[in-house]
Amino acid sequence: MALQQARLATGMSQRELSARTGVTQSAISNLESESYTLYAARLFKLLRECGVTITAEWDDCAEPVRSAESGGPQ
């Protein structure tokens, strides 16, 4: 659900996020579905038990998404 919450917080539709990222709208829909969330939670639990550490990075230089209403980062 984190992806959906983050997307909704920016005011973007799945279609807009798809256009901005090149990820298909159907893939975004699948990622936002509860079944994928449960799968990821189970996968992380299994990996953690096996001693695997997962980290994530993103480009801090990327321009933040801005709301047309506030003009501020979302």
Side-chain angles (χ1 to χ4, degrees):
M1 289 295 210
L3 173 59
Q4 183 180 38
Q5 290 169 341
R7 177 181 59 77
L8 293 173
T10 66
M12 278 192 281
S13 66
Q14 288 181 348
R15 188 168 289 169
E16 183 178 1
L17 182 58
S18 171
R20 294 176 69 144
T21 62
V23 176
T24 65
Q25 182 274 325
S26 62
I28 293 169
S29 177
N30 286 336
L31 288 168
E32 289 182 356
S33 77
E34 189 66 29
S35 62
Y36 277 86
T37 301
L38 292 174
Y39 172 79
R42 288 181 187 145
L43 176 61
F44 293 151
K45 182 178 182 177
L46 292 167
L47 291 171
R48 184 174 47 248
E49 191 61 31
C50 292
V52 175
T53 301
I54 299 174
T55 59
E57 298 183 25
W58 53 91
D59 184 1
D60 288 336
C61 297
E63 296 219 8
V65 175
R66 298 191 180 275
S67 165
E69 295 172 8
S70 68
Q74 295 270 318

